[in-house]
Amino acid sequence: MNTLLPAFSGYGIELEYMIVDRKSLSIMPIADKLLHKLSGKYVSEVAHGRLAWSNEIVLHLIELKNSNPEPVIESLPLYSRAKFDASMVSLNFWAQG
């Protein structure tokens, strides 16, 4: 979406996930490596259609969010269970692979 929205008229959701080892549950500080595998370069955010993966603070935290504010909350792609599940499968593949 390239249309500018007035202040407080757009919606966004960020779901934050801690990256941990599947067996020990120890944190895995690899968010930068995951984003590098997905994009081919070191970046803080990788867009995938209307969704994006990003890392802001610590390397064991990654978030899934909508790339741009949406004028109608029901239009957020995060409400599409299939898209969300596919994103999680992709991230788990890269983290454990």
Side-chain angles (χ1 to χ4, degrees):
M1 181 176 105
N2 294 328
T3 305
L4 292 177
L5 298 173
F8 307 108
S9 64
Y11 297 92
I13 295 179
E14 295 184 356
L15 304 172
E16 299 190 15
Y17 295 94
M18 186 179 298
I19 305 168
V20 299
D21 180 81
R22 185 175 289 176
K23 293 180 183 174
S24 69
L25 298 181
S26 297
I27 62 168
M28 296 175 64
I30 61 168
D32 58 339
K33 294 175 185 162
L34 291 173
L35 295 175
H36 183 268
K37 284 184 181 181
L38 294 171
S39 70
K41 53 189 170 186
Y42 286 100
V43 294
S44 62
E45 182 173 306
V46 176
H48 183 68
R50 292 171 61 198
L51 296 176
W53 289 108
S54 69
N55 172 256
E56 295 175 351
I57 301 174
V58 294
L59 289 177
H60 66 274
L61 185 68
I62 199 157
E63 64 187 18
L64 175 65
K65 61 185 181 179
N66 51 301
S67 298
N68 295 300
E70 296 284 340
V72 179
I73 197 165
E74 290 81 10
S75 70
L76 286 172
L78 297 178
Y79 286 103
S80 168
R81 183 64 189 250
K83 289 181 182 179
F84 176 78
D85 288 350
S87 293
M88 290 306 299
V89 167
S90 175
L91 184 64
N92 282 325
F93 170 78
W94 288 110
Q96 301 300 322

